[in-house]
Amino acid sequence: MTKCIRLLFIYCSAFIMASCGASIDDITQDSEVEPVVVGVDELSGPEMSMASLFGYSSDDNMFFNQHITTGMGLELTKGSWDKHHKWHPMTSFELDGRYYIMGHKEKDNSWFIQRVLPSGDLGKETDRGSWSRYYKTLKALEVDGKVFIFGQSEHDNNRWFLQEVYGNGKLASHESDNGHWHHYYGAVTQVPVSNRMCLYHQDDNHEHGRGYFWSIDCINSKGHLWNKDSGYFEHYWPTVTAYRLGGRTHIFGHRKRWTGHGDWFLQHVTHTGSMGAQTDSGTWNNYYKSITSFEYKGRYYLVGHNTDKHYFIQHMTHHGNMKEETDHGSWAHFYDSLLSLGFDELYFNKKNWMGRLNETIGDRKLSQIAMPGSHDSGMNADDRHDCHDAFECNTVTQLGDIEHQLHHGARYFDIRPTLQYSDYGNRWCTAHTTNVNGASLGCKGECRGSIVDTLNNFFEDEDHSKELVILKVSHCSSYPGLDFYDCSDEQLEVLAHSLAEDLSEYVIRCDGCDIREMTLNEILEHGNILLVFTSGPRDRNAGVFSWGYGGGTDYYLSDNFSNTEDFHHMQKNQYDKMRDSKNHSSDKLFLLSWTLTLSTKDVVGCTVMPNTSILNLAYKATPRIFEYINEWKKDGGITKKYFPNVIYADAIEGTAASASIFLNSVYDHLPE
């Protein structure tokens, strides 16, 4: 069968943290996703009962985590690790209701263990170290609520070991078992049977007159291994996985034929861990080097992925038969690690996250709510145009237009209009501009018509009736290429009323309202879009509110960026600002500016310096928002007083929304 169609390219996002990689040439991961209840320290939502697929490419150092059912679902997160770290192999496991990934590196024998948060985002690295040798095979085995790491080396008489991982995600200081085998087993998978966990492995060396040796070894709760069964197959099956369904366990094996086709088999494993009879077999038109399996609604599915970038999903029965293909497509990269994980459905759909949380946040003031915000919202690569002495690397801040950002959960938008001298609000675009010796340099971005149509279409959908969008309009200036000037009060007056009229069906009109003292539901009674200008008009009856601190204004956020390219300086600087009481008051909310800023040198030289751009800086910062929010909350740094109301980022996607959902879910349990 042929497996191909195009799937959406998965963007890379740099991730400054030592982390992971894997080789499914050597191993494949098959961990059942069991529902687990997570405590209120992490979220106050339902069980982590949805399956996800984690993929990592050791060639490109890219990773993704994506919801999976009978087909590929919504992307949960994506990114890349530092190019100096290539983790090969990789495994995953669930322990005490938490998911982890573990990677090992040949270059220096180092390893790491890292949390995967309930949203599917990567969390804190919980442990790291190095071994005295490189273990080409790495597999996590879950036994009686414990997790043991199995590793085997091709050297030192094929040394193997078992070592426990404790509930805090740290590796034990000693091995529970170890030894040497006569064979190095290139094909390895865990095999769950009725009352134990076993390990299937096969040698790739042909023994004359016998074939290729295989063995099943089982592990007890003390982390000791003993042989259960062994034998020989006619062929070596380098790609393997196993699953247990309906009280029956089956092993799947796959090999490449010289014609480029791929033979496969399914074979029963008895309840005692012995090899049973073959239940199905066949040949595919391709060989799939990366394989894993996962459970969805009481059925098991196989995911296969090839170096030609194609993937497929196929149903496997509890009788050990291969059934219908349910999805196929292609990715832009080859992911040599495919791992089964789980995530919490609370974080699943970002399009209407405020509506889904309305029972929780509807009676709160805006000072008690967190929401994602996008910096320079209109500046994405597709809408960038009319540039003057500016380029994509120093003007593009977002991965998609405002519709894209809305669907990824953004609710606070930084709108920066640009006008000609003769314009009074009808023909404007967003822009990223600066004043250089009296000239306006920069690029235009998404324009008025697109933004207005997007917002009106978004709120036409009844599913979004409980969503609130804040449009903060500021930095109004001249078109790029003209003499630089700030928009006049007259221009701002016309622009504000024109925009309010364009959004008239959904803009909030409330002349006597005090937005700061109203609950979210009270605000939503008047509309869904809060239009706020930092200068110029204030006409609340027409839907135009003013930005500022103190009396005579409607809405204000303490908003101070860190002005640095250094991630660690930025996160510490923003944490200190969040913990400063001067930035929190009854009429002042707090914006966490999770943004990195190009230096003057890099603004000028980014066109000739590889990987230097606003977006590349964002790839270092944005994927780590939830990681730090989770840790700050755990350490007591986030309280009801010291609370981020807007999580503001470049390259905004689902991570900022996940962090906001988390904060809103745990708010009632925060200290004062």
Side-chain angles (χ1 to χ4, degrees):
M1 71 187 78
T2 301
K3 328 275 188 185
C4 60
I5 59 171
R6 176 159 181 81
L7 193 71
L8 181 66
F9 170 75
I10 299 177
Y11 278 102
C12 64
S13 305
F15 213 80
I16 298 190
M17 151 183 331
S19 303
C20 58
S23 170
I24 302 241
D25 295 346
D26 305 323
I27 59 172
T28 52
Q29 172 69 9
D30 173 38
S31 59
E32 295 190 16
V33 180
E34 298 290 346
V36 293
V37 177
V38 179
V40 76
D41 283 347
E42 300 198 329
L43 71 152
S44 56
E47 296 178 344
M48 290 179 64
S49 57
M50 302 185 81
S52 71
L53 179 70
F54 185 90
Y56 171 74
S57 169
S58 61
D59 289 335
D60 301 295
N61 233 18
M62 292 180 169
F63 67 83
F64 72 90
N65 195 12
Q66 191 159 351
H67 173 231
I68 190 168
T69 58
T70 59
M72 292 296 172
L74 293 177
E75 184 181 82
L76 304 174
T77 191
K78 60 196 173 190
S80 69
W81 278 294
D82 189 287
K83 62 183 179 181
H84 300 296
H85 299 287
K86 290 189 179 294
W87 303 99
H88 183 89
M90 177 182 286
T91 189
S92 64
F93 57 90
E94 182 269 325
L95 181 62
D96 292 344
R98 297 178 174 184
Y99 283 92
Y100 298 84
I101 52 177
M102 182 178 189
H104 183 34
K105 185 169 59 174
E106 182 175 11
K107 184 177 180 180
D108 58 7
N109 303 328
S110 62
W111 55 265
F112 79 98
I113 300 174
Q114 189 168 351
R115 277 287 312 278
V116 180
L117 296 171
S119 63
D121 296 288
L122 293 186
K124 183 180 180 181
E125 189 178 281
T126 59
D127 203 4
R128 70 163 34 248
S130 62
W131 288 313
S132 60
R133 57 184 59 80
Y134 172 61
Y135 292 95
K136 190 175 181 180
T137 298
L138 194 70
K139 179 63 60 177
L141 304 173
E142 301 169 25
V143 184
D144 294 336
K146 297 180 178 180
V147 170
F148 295 90
I149 301 300
F150 169 84
Q152 190 188 11
S153 172
E154 280 189 295
H155 307 290
D156 191 16
N157 297 316
N158 303 314
R159 186 184 191 276
W160 62 268
F161 74 92
L162 282 164
Q163 197 163 349
E164 187 174 358
V165 181
Y166 295 134
N168 57 1
K170 294 188 178 295
L171 199 63
S173 59
H174 61 280
E175 296 171 348
S176 60
D177 201 359
N178 60 63
H180 300 269
W181 281 328
H182 294 297
H183 306 267
Y184 171 72
Y185 299 100
V188 179
T189 190
Q190 66 173 8
V191 182
V193 293
S194 60
N195 59 353
R196 66 189 66 174
M197 180 62 71
C198 301
L199 192 71
Y200 165 84
H201 38 108
Q202 189 185 13
D203 184 14
D204 63 355
N205 289 313
H206 183 270
E207 295 184 29
H208 183 68
R210 291 187 174 185
Y212 296 87
F213 180 76
W214 60 262
S215 178
I216 296 178
D217 295 87
C218 296
I219 180 175
N220 64 22
S221 60
K222 294 183 179 180
H224 296 155
L225 205 63
W226 79 96
N227 180 252
K228 181 61 184 176
D229 198 5
S230 61
Y232 292 85
F233 284 144
E234 180 182 357
H235 302 290
Y236 172 58
W237 305 88
T239 304
V240 290
T241 188
Y243 66 99
R244 181 169 177 79
L245 186 64
R248 295 172 63 88
T249 298
H250 292 88
I251 290 176
F252 168 88
H254 187 36
R255 74 181 183 99
K256 185 177 182 179
R257 297 175 61 184
W258 67 271
T259 59
H261 289 52
D263 294 336
W264 59 266
F265 75 90
L266 281 163
Q267 191 137 343
H268 176 55
V269 179
T270 71
H271 70 280
T272 62
S274 299
M275 190 68 77
Q278 187 175 107
T279 56
D280 203 356
S281 63
T283 301
W284 288 327
N285 291 336
N286 288 316
Y287 168 63
Y288 296 91
K289 201 171 182 180
S290 302
I291 290 284
T292 192
S293 55
F294 68 96
E295 185 180 5
Y296 174 68
K297 290 189 175 180
R299 290 185 171 189
Y300 253 92
Y301 296 85
L302 187 74
V303 183
H305 181 39
N306 195 12
T307 53
D308 65 5
K309 317 292 175 61
H310 293 147
Y311 75 85
F312 73 95
I313 302 175
Q314 193 145 344
H315 174 212
M316 300 181 295
T317 73
H318 69 282
H319 293 297
N321 299 118
M322 192 69 71
K323 301 297 284 185
E324 75 281 1
E325 181 185 277
T326 59
D327 195 10
H328 62 240
S330 63
W331 288 317
H333 304 274
F334 170 62
Y335 297 94
D336 46 4
S337 288
L338 293 179
L339 308 174
S340 297
L341 298 172
F343 72 101
D344 193 297
E345 64 181 342
L346 179 69
Y347 299 92
F348 181 50
N349 189 349
K350 306 299 196 301
K351 292 182 181 180
N352 63 340
W353 68 266
M354 295 186 83
R356 289 188 293 109
L357 287 183
N358 186 264
E359 288 189 9
T360 301
I361 66 176
D363 292 329
R364 293 182 191 162
K365 300 176 185 178
L366 295 183
S367 61
Q368 301 166 317
I369 295 172
M371 65 176 68
S374 71
H375 166 240
D376 221 338
S377 306
M379 295 306 300
N380 65 87
D382 290 339
D383 285 311
R384 184 181 68 95
H385 64 291
D386 286 356
C387 295
H388 289 268
D389 291 327
F391 305 90
E392 183 172 329
C393 62
N394 53 29
T395 57
V396 170
T397 59
Q398 298 299 332
L399 296 176
D401 60 12
I402 287 176
E403 180 180 18
H404 173 93
Q405 296 166 47
L406 275 170
H407 289 171
H408 282 83
R411 294 296 178 265
Y412 175 94
F413 294 93
D414 173 23
I415 304 298
R416 305 186 179 197
T418 185
L419 304 171
Q420 288 188 17
Y421 295 112
S422 58
D423 283 344
Y424 284 87
N426 294 319
R427 293 184 300 158
W428 58 267
C429 297
T430 58
H432 189 130
T433 59
T434 188
N435 181 358
V436 178
N437 297 323
S440 181
L441 305 184
C443 298
K444 295 180 189 176
E446 189 172 2
C447 293
R448 166 185 171 271
S450 173
I451 295 171
V452 167
D453 288 347
T454 289
L455 290 167
N456 283 327
N457 291 338
F458 184 78
F459 285 112
E460 279 180 8
D461 188 339
E462 185 64 26
D463 285 345
H464 302 145
S465 62
K466 296 296 184 181
E467 308 294 310
L468 174 69
V469 163
I470 299 173
L471 298 183
K472 177 207 173 189
V473 183
S474 64
H475 296 77
C476 185
S477 64
S478 54
Y479 278 164
L482 300 179
D483 292 339
F484 185 89
Y485 65 88
D486 293 320
C487 296
S488 67
D489 288 345
E490 185 180 4
Q491 285 176 312
L492 288 171
E493 178 87 24
V494 175
L495 190 155
H497 284 87
S498 173
L499 183 56
E501 182 61 29
D502 288 338
L503 302 170
S504 60
E505 191 170 348
Y506 306 106
V507 77
I508 293 166
R509 293 185 178 88
C510 186
D511 191 30
C513 288
D514 186 347
I515 295 294
R516 293 167 172 148
E517 293 300 317
M518 296 167 67
T519 67
L520 174 61
N521 282 339
E522 287 171 343
I523 294 171
L524 291 174
E525 289 178 4
H526 299 276
N528 298 95
I529 301 172
L530 180 62
L531 180 59
V532 183
F533 276 69
T534 59
S535 60
R538 184 194 192 202
D539 186 351
R540 295 180 297 178
N541 195 46
V544 181
F545 289 78
S546 66
W547 171 278
Y549 177 66
T553 60
D554 302 298
Y555 181 77
Y556 184 70
L557 287 160
S558 176
D559 175 1
N560 294 289
F561 71 116
S562 302
N563 196 23
T564 180
E565 291 187 358
D566 183 81
F567 171 78
H568 296 288
H569 174 76
M570 180 275 291
Q571 63 86 13
K572 183 180 185 305
N573 174 268
Q574 289 300 305
Y575 178 82
D576 291 343
K577 285 182 168 69
M578 182 185 70
R579 292 289 302 177
D580 188 339
S581 61
K582 296 194 299 292
N583 295 325
H584 303 266
S585 67
S586 60
D587 54 359
K588 182 192 294 185
L589 283 64
F590 181 75
L591 179 147
L592 186 77
S593 187
W594 202 258
T595 56
L596 296 175
T597 305
L598 286 174
S599 66
T600 302
K601 179 188 73 172
D602 288 345
V603 167
V604 174
C606 66
T607 58
V608 296
M609 291 186 291
N611 302 318
T612 302
S613 69
I614 296 171
L615 285 184
N616 276 315
L617 289 179
Y619 296 151
K620 298 176 183 179
T622 301
R624 302 188 69 178
I625 292 172
F626 197 173
E627 172 195 353
Y628 278 84
I629 291 291
N630 184 61
E631 292 304 310
W632 292 349
K633 184 268 173 188
K634 187 185 303 181
D635 295 340
I638 294 178
T639 67
K640 289 179 179 177
K641 177 178 179 179
Y642 301 116
F643 189 78
N645 303 111
V646 172
I647 300 174
Y648 190 62
D650 292 319
I652 193 166
E653 294 219 300
T655 304
S658 293
S660 298
I661 291 168
F662 168 72
L663 285 173
N664 291 317
S665 298
V666 301
Y667 180 85
D668 287 339
H669 304 277
L670 294 175
E672 296 293 334

